[in-house]
Amino acid sequence: GGEVLYRLSAAPEPKPLTSTQFEAAAMDRMHATASRLKADTLKKVAYLEAFGRLMMGVAPWLALPDDDSAEGRQRKQLRTAALAATAHSVDPSSPDYMLWHETGQTLVDAAYLAQALLRAPAALWDPLDRTTQQRVVAEFRALRRVAPPNNNWLLFMAMVESFLLARDEGADPFRIDTALRTIESWYVGDGWYSDGPAFHMDYYNSYVIHSM
């Protein structure tokens, strides 16, 4: 829980929660690697992948109230940095503007960011300036260009739209309902979903289907 996150943030370099992902010009210091196949695109999308999934994981901790403990001071520092990083990620003039438009993988990673904003709106959404909020909404809406495959990706589509619904920002309820009805139709018992018309026994049941 919070103790683990605090120890991670207070650890010697490299600090996984602070000095890279949550600072301006972070991309210059995050050295992504990828296979030779589409390496340039994969490296670019890795930054949003790292940021979105990190935010989703720490969101409940960042939402805890401030206090004067060492952990509380660290949490406040990270929350402030996370808000700044969100602003950089959607600012086209920033060197940390994320890859929002070149690949369908963006839908996956944006869904994790959307889930973070849903989990901790008072900590991670409300303090953002209106320009940043509008930019986030615009990037999320633009992801409707991505046609998700007929598997767990439907939930990524639904999560992004659920965020827009929660913020009254012109969500498409059909995209949410279609995803949920389809996923529910794939339930095969004992907590397992087939993750598509054919059954797949893999970690996506726990890592995506239940968590999203």
Side-chain angles (χ1 to χ4, degrees):
E3 181 181 358
V4 173
L5 292 172
Y6 172 69
R7 289 184 178 183
L8 283 172
S9 66
E13 295 290 349
K15 294 183 178 179
L17 304 183
T18 55
S19 60
T20 303
Q21 289 96 328
F22 282 170
E23 290 184 1
M27 289 187 184
D28 290 340
R29 299 189 302 281
M30 289 179 65
H31 302 293
T33 59
S35 67
R36 287 177 292 177
L37 181 63
K38 298 183 178 179
D40 289 340
T41 299
L42 290 175
K43 286 181 181 179
K44 290 178 182 177
V45 80
Y47 300 112
L48 181 58
E49 180 178 23
F51 179 58
R53 297 179 192 221
L54 173 63
M55 288 282 281
M56 190 274 283
V58 301
W61 183 62
L62 294 180
L64 293 175
D66 290 333
D67 58 57
D68 198 37
S69 66
E71 179 179 333
R73 292 191 297 272
Q74 183 71 63
R75 182 169 54 248
K76 183 176 181 179
Q77 175 188 349
L78 291 175
R79 186 190 307 120
T80 300
L83 292 168
T86 301
H88 294 309
S89 74
V90 293
D91 181 357
S93 68
S94 171
D96 290 332
Y97 180 62
M98 300 290 182
L99 185 72
W100 292 98
H101 302 287
E102 295 181 25
T103 171
Q105 176 66 28
T106 300
L107 175 64
V108 176
D109 305 318
Y112 284 96
L113 179 58
Q115 189 175 27
L117 299 176
L118 280 170
R119 296 176 89 177
L124 298 177
W125 178 255
D126 296 345
L128 294 173
D129 62 85
R130 186 54 184 159
T131 296
T132 296
Q133 291 180 343
Q134 290 173 335
R135 286 170 172 168
V136 171
V137 168
E139 299 292 6
F140 281 0
R141 285 178 177 167
L143 291 170
R144 292 169 181 166
R145 64 179 173 77
V146 180
N150 196 33
N151 57 24
N152 64 82
W153 275 46
L154 294 174
L155 288 175
F156 301 131
M157 173 183 72
M159 182 60 69
V160 171
E161 294 294 335
S162 294
F163 170 78
L164 295 174
L165 180 64
R167 307 314 306 181
D168 194 22
E169 291 287 357
D172 182 351
F174 180 77
R175 297 172 75 85
I176 301 173
D177 293 342
T178 298
L180 295 181
R181 290 177 184 273
T182 302
I183 294 293
E184 288 172 358
S185 74
W186 291 339
Y187 186 68
V188 295
D190 290 334
W192 285 93
Y193 294 82
S194 64
D195 194 10
F199 181 74
H200 298 273
M201 181 174 284
D202 54 38
Y203 69 92
Y204 282 104
N205 260 264
S206 60
Y207 188 65
V208 175
I209 294 176
H210 283 286
S211 61
M212 279 280 159

